[in-house]
Amino acid sequence: MQATGYFPPGVTQFVRFLGDEIRVQPGRANVMLRCVSGSALVITISMALQVPFLAVSLIAVFLVTQSNVVMTRLVGLVFIIGVTLAVGIAILVIKLTYDYPLLRILLSAAVFLFSVYMMRVAKIGAAFFLVGIVVIYFQSFVDLTDNAEALVRLALWIWVAVSYAIAITLLINTLCLPVEPMQQLQDGMLGQLATVDAGLAYLERGARAVGVPDARQVQSGILMLQRLLQFSMMRDADYRTHQGFHLALVTTVSRLHAATADLPESTAEIPAGVPSALRAACERLGHAIRTGGRFTVPERLTNVADELMPGALQQMRDALLAFASRSAAPESSETKREKGRFLVPDAFSNPVYVQFALKTLLATMAGYFFYLATDWQGIHTIMLTSLIVAQPSLGASSRRAVLRIGGAALGSVSALAMVVWVVPRIDGIVGLLLMSLPVIAVGAWVSAGSERTSYAGTQLMFTFAIVLLEQFGPVTDLTGIRDRMVGILLGVLISVVVHASLWPEAEGEALRQRVARLLRSLAARLRQPGDAVTPTALWAELGDCEAMAARVALEPGWQMGEGQHEGFQHYVQTILAQTREIFLAADAFDAERRAQPIGDSRAHGAAMTGAETAGALLEGYASDLTDRPEAVRAPAPVPPDLLATDLGIDHEGPLTDAARRAYQRLTVRATRLIGQVQTLPSWRVHQADTGTVE
């Protein structure tokens, strides 16, 4: 019996989830080292010069440190703009309304409302997030003192604490541990080419390829290269000038990597010398990527007879030949693109944005009035939590709330342990660093992970720092730990209730419609491969659907019934997992279709029959998913004789053995594609039961 059998399924799943989130990933250690280095320098400077708000400085280090230099500089610039604007507005509000508390609250609420609205509609929403945070956080200082000059000084110190931490972070990321997106892109392409070479090596030895990428790896590989290409164009002028060439290179590597997932199972159908010729071409492509030289196709690959070659190998050959001709004349001028808008297109027509701002303002003001009524200074985080937890959907808000509570709890436990056992034994900056940096490193490692858990690492570090590092001496008071957790819990409770009760932004219905559009796009690609959306765009849309499904899974289940909500989650996750496999089967079918002899009416008819059958099944399923989701059924089975007749090979005269095998491969690919489509799940909710998916 396996060890996991001793634990409930939920516990096993949670442990597996944690293992996936904290595992080693390329570049993760580098991000952690940059965070720890910046934090160590900021702690030393702040303690030596007695710069207040050290916890705020540290969170600036975490938020600005990104996966590469381009993103780090971009986020740093946005934060500088945001904190400058925030401090200026906070001082202006105090100057105009200091002697009029009601007017001060009303004006601050108006600024906060505008800031939250701009968070949703502006490209630099993070800057307005800082404005909202500072303006509402500053109200807790106003209630503590009647000295206006002290308030101005506090505001200016906030600007100093954030700005100098950003400057140090940018310096470290630029000089000490730079991670250039161009290098990341090159490493990513070379890594995928290594996978391609390994698969071809098995075929060259006459063995079945093993270790080929699955559908999820193909998807993540395509999206990673596209994302890194965008960063590289932002960073390097050469990439912007020759973006067409670099896009062609990335597309070629992605096609090779995707084709590796569909390598033939039998080596008997492969013409002699094809795997070795493809390996030589991939080696030349890798050398061109490393050196920036010109790529040329080996002559033996050019001379290989491409007719009747297995579809995956044909796709590899076509990709290499197409890139070789494309690289002969790279673009010499930068393509002009329309500058993006500052606001989203429906900023003034969609009422959701105003409703979101009103909900967030109501939750924040409720927390602020509770804070004033109880005169409990330690729970000032109740206002900040209301804004931090506020996200564009209920699922995203629930996830942020869970991460904030979990990260704060871990940070509080760490701080409590240090106060009890470590603080009494240290008396200098070295001891302080030795105590703090391990906890900061753990927080940095978590924050460098996926979006699903990254905020928990930032919250862990911030909670630890605000308890132990806000004073310029040993900490002995433990009430701060208790008060902060109480403030966070109350803020989360108020925010979740308000957002779930007023204009709730549930994404379940939008997710269902989006999945249906994705299936229709795939059906269009099967029927008209030249005119439909590109495979890269389809993989990207699938990734967005998966991210939305992860948020929907965290939406409150009471809105549609707990059992029905759980059933809907399982249903959508099954659809998306199966859609990923359909994408891979569609790529294999398309490659085999292109490998058939040009002008052969039998091949054209067979390909059209397979594409039309799969497309019709997808279109029908998508229509049911859109119009009558409660009655969706799995696609109807295709009669076996239909495939045998329309994809047969004996009714138009004799064929050579090679042509017969090519038709057989096309038949197999079409059959597998249709079979994958037919495994899409049905949906039925038991009216009298708790709700299940069948």
Side-chain angles (χ1 to χ4, degrees):
M1 180 181 296
Q2 296 180 352
T4 55
Y6 293 103
F7 300 98
V11 175
T12 303
Q13 185 178 4
F14 179 70
V15 171
R16 187 181 299 113
F17 169 77
L18 288 182
D20 292 338
E21 290 300 311
I22 65 175
R23 72 178 187 275
V24 178
Q25 298 173 352
R28 192 169 189 173
N30 184 279
V31 175
M32 183 195 71
L33 288 174
R34 284 183 278 140
C35 281
V36 172
S37 300
S39 300
L41 195 54
V42 165
I43 291 174
T44 303
I45 293 175
S46 293
M47 287 296 176
L49 302 180
Q50 294 193 354
V51 179
F53 304 111
L54 176 54
V56 176
S57 299
L58 291 176
I59 203 171
V61 173
F62 268 58
L63 295 179
V64 173
T65 302
Q66 299 292 316
S67 59
N68 57 66
V69 173
V70 173
M71 287 301 298
T72 297
R73 292 181 178 178
L74 181 62
V75 174
L77 176 62
V78 171
F79 272 48
I80 287 290
I81 295 174
V83 73
T84 303
L85 187 63
V87 170
I89 292 176
I91 293 176
L92 183 62
V93 169
I94 295 300
K95 178 178 177 59
L96 296 177
T97 63
Y98 181 74
D99 295 325
Y100 308 96
L102 180 60
L103 183 60
R104 169 176 58 83
I105 294 175
L106 292 177
L107 184 57
S108 299
V111 173
F112 182 84
L113 181 69
F114 176 76
S115 300
V116 177
Y117 171 78
M118 294 301 291
M119 279 171 51
R120 288 289 300 269
V121 303
K123 278 191 172 182
I124 55 172
F128 292 97
F129 172 79
L130 290 177
V131 174
I133 281 284
V134 171
V135 167
I136 202 65
Y137 182 51
F138 209 64
Q139 304 309 307
S140 61
F141 295 132
V142 179
D143 298 317
L144 291 178
T145 179
D146 56 357
N147 189 339
E149 182 180 356
L151 292 176
V152 174
R153 288 180 177 274
L154 284 174
L156 294 178
W157 273 120
I158 291 177
W159 185 86
V160 171
V162 174
S163 299
Y164 103 88
I166 292 176
I168 289 177
T169 304
L170 294 177
L171 183 66
I172 289 178
N173 281 267
T174 302
L175 299 179
C176 301
L177 294 167
V179 177
E180 295 288 351
M182 295 81 71
Q183 184 62 44
Q184 289 180 312
L185 178 61
Q186 177 178 315
D187 293 342
M189 290 190 292
L190 293 176
Q192 293 190 17
L193 286 179
T195 302
V196 175
D197 182 76
L200 292 173
Y202 280 100
L203 296 182
E204 187 178 14
R205 296 194 297 267
R208 180 179 177 180
V210 296
V212 296
D214 56 20
R216 183 177 292 277
Q217 291 170 331
V218 170
Q219 176 190 7
S220 61
I222 291 174
L223 300 183
M224 177 192 69
L225 294 186
Q226 293 292 330
R227 183 175 63 253
L228 291 176
L229 178 61
Q230 294 177 358
F231 292 151
S232 299
M233 288 191 292
M234 294 169 59
R235 171 66 168 163
D236 191 271
D238 177 73
Y239 275 77
R240 293 192 297 271
T241 302
H242 305 97
Q243 57 182 302
F245 168 77
H246 292 290
L247 178 60
L249 176 59
V250 167
T251 303
T252 300
V253 174
S254 296
R255 290 180 64 187
L256 294 172
H257 188 245
T260 307
D262 303 317
L263 289 175
E265 299 179 358
S266 174
T267 59
E269 304 174 359
I270 303 175
V274 171
S276 60
L278 287 172
R279 290 189 67 192
C282 291
E283 184 179 355
R284 286 192 182 185
L285 182 60
H287 183 267
I289 292 173
R290 285 188 293 268
T291 62
R294 180 187 175 94
F295 169 68
T296 57
V297 179
E299 184 177 354
R300 53 177 172 161
L301 182 62
T302 307
N303 296 332
V304 168
D306 56 355
E307 291 188 357
L308 310 181
M309 186 187 300
L313 301 181
Q314 176 75 25
Q315 184 178 8
M316 289 183 176
R317 180 178 181 273
D318 291 345
L320 292 166
L321 292 176
F323 178 68
S325 63
R326 176 66 182 82
S327 63
E331 294 182 359
S332 58
S333 60
E334 183 177 357
T335 303
K336 294 182 179 180
R337 292 183 178 180
E338 181 182 359
K339 293 184 178 180
R341 298 182 179 183
F342 179 72
L343 302 178
V344 296
D346 60 344
F348 303 108
S349 60
N350 193 340
V352 170
Y353 305 129
V354 176
Q355 294 169 356
F356 173 78
L358 289 173
K359 290 187 295 185
T360 306
L361 175 63
L362 178 61
T364 304
M365 287 295 103
Y368 179 63
F369 291 141
F370 182 86
Y371 162 79
L372 289 180
T374 58
D375 194 22
W376 194 349
Q377 169 62 21
I379 64 169
H380 62 272
T381 52
I382 190 174
M383 296 102 70
L384 306 183
T385 299
S386 297
L387 178 58
I388 292 173
V389 168
Q391 297 294 311
S393 69
L394 285 177
S397 296
S398 300
R399 177 170 63 186
R400 181 59 65 92
V402 171
L403 294 179
R404 183 165 175 80
I405 293 174
L410 293 176
S412 298
V413 170
S414 301
L416 178 62
M418 295 299 178
V419 169
V420 173
W421 289 300
V422 180
V423 170
R425 293 174 172 81
I426 61 175
D427 57 0
I429 187 64
V430 175
L432 182 66
L433 291 175
L434 292 176
M435 175 188 71
S436 305
L437 292 185
V439 179
I440 292 175
V442 172
W445 183 267
V446 176
S447 68
S450 69
E451 185 183 358
R452 296 181 298 181
T453 56
S454 60
Y455 179 72
T458 303
Q459 184 60 47
L460 187 159
M461 179 280 305
F462 186 67
T463 302
F464 177 84
I466 206 170
V467 173
L468 289 181
L469 303 178
E470 280 294 276
Q471 302 179 24
F472 304 111
V475 177
T476 57
D477 187 9
L478 301 180
T479 58
I481 300 176
R482 177 204 63 193
D483 294 349
R484 179 168 178 79
M485 283 302 305
V486 171
I488 289 176
L489 292 173
L490 289 175
V492 166
L493 177 63
I494 294 173
S495 184
V496 169
V497 170
V498 170
H499 281 267
S501 303
L502 298 177
W503 307 299
E505 293 185 62
E507 292 183 300
E509 178 62 27
L511 174 61
R512 185 165 53 227
Q513 300 293 335
R514 191 167 187 175
V515 171
R517 290 196 301 269
L518 176 64
L519 295 177
R520 287 195 179 96
S521 298
L522 178 58
R525 182 196 164 204
L526 288 172
R527 291 169 168 172
Q528 299 175 339
D531 301 330
V533 65
T534 62
T536 300
L538 285 176
W539 284 111
E541 180 65 17
L542 176 61
D544 293 340
C545 289
E546 290 174 335
M548 183 182 289
R551 296 193 298 268
V552 170
L554 294 174
E555 290 181 356
W558 54 264
Q559 291 187 324
M560 59 184 301
E562 190 67 32
Q564 295 183 17
H565 180 66
E566 294 177 358
F568 178 74
Q569 295 175 35
H570 182 267
Y571 173 62
V572 173
Q573 294 290 351
T574 304
I575 289 181
L576 294 177
Q578 188 55 38
T579 301
R580 191 184 304 112
E581 299 299 329
I582 294 173
F583 277 14
L584 205 59
D587 284 341
F589 169 73
D590 187 62
E592 206 64 60
R593 173 169 54 181
R594 296 176 186 275
Q596 298 301 313
I598 299 176
D600 192 320
S601 60
R602 291 169 297 192
H604 178 74
M608 286 301 298
T609 301
E612 283 295 333
T613 303
L617 293 176
L618 286 171
E619 190 70 38
Y621 189 86
S623 298
D624 289 345
L625 194 61
T626 301
D627 301 331
R628 48 193 188 98
E630 71 284 350
V632 174
R633 292 293 181 266
V638 175
D641 57 342
L642 175 65
L643 293 178
T645 300
D646 292 338
L647 295 181
I649 61 176
D650 294 327
H651 61 286
E652 291 196 21
L655 296 173
T656 64
D657 290 340
R660 184 181 298 274
R661 288 196 298 269
Y663 275 103
Q664 288 174 344
R665 290 197 301 268
L666 181 62
T667 303
V668 168
R669 294 299 187 186
T671 304
R672 288 182 179 176
L673 173 60
I674 295 172
Q676 290 286 1
V677 174
Q678 290 174 333
T679 58
L680 286 169
S682 61
W683 163 262
R684 181 162 66 90
V685 178
H686 293 288
Q687 299 296 333
D689 215 338
T690 58
T692 57
V693 176
E694 293 187 351

